[in-house]
Amino acid sequence: MATVGERIRLIREGLGMGRQEFADKTGIPKGTLIRTEQGQNAPQVSVLIKIADLWPEYAAYLLTDKTDVIQKKAGNIK
């Protein structure tokens, strides 16, 4: 099971975005994004909400790791 930070990274990669582009799109500071993806800190609820607001189709995966919706688009989730 992937951590929330890993799921955020997989969503970002599945969308074909680099960290800077994802940070710009979401308003999440790039440093926060890096630390979250690397598991150095847990994401704040506001970070999860920003991602889910922009890509609601990934909300369930982001929070539960229980859906294969992103797998169909990204093709790189175990």
Side-chain angles (χ1 to χ4, degrees):
M1 184 164 153
T3 66
V4 175
E6 290 168 335
R7 292 192 299 270
I8 291 171
R9 179 183 55 80
L10 291 169
I11 289 169
R12 177 181 60 74
E13 290 174 351
L15 292 166
M17 292 186 187
R19 285 182 172 146
Q20 188 62 59
E21 182 181 5
F22 192 83
D24 292 343
K25 180 85 172 172
T26 60
I28 299 166
K30 184 178 175 184
T32 299
L33 178 61
I34 291 169
R35 287 187 298 279
T36 300
E37 288 185 354
Q38 294 177 345
Q40 295 174 4
N41 65 333
Q44 295 183 352
V45 172
S46 61
V47 168
L48 301 175
I49 289 170
K50 287 177 183 182
I51 296 168
D53 279 348
L54 288 168
W55 300 284
E57 64 271 27
Y58 300 139
Y61 172 73
L62 180 63
L63 298 175
T64 67
D65 197 21
K66 299 292 184 197
T67 183
D68 69 347
V69 172
I70 192 170
Q71 291 177 6
K72 294 175 186 173
K73 287 193 176 188
N76 60 357
I77 297 174
K78 298 176 184 175

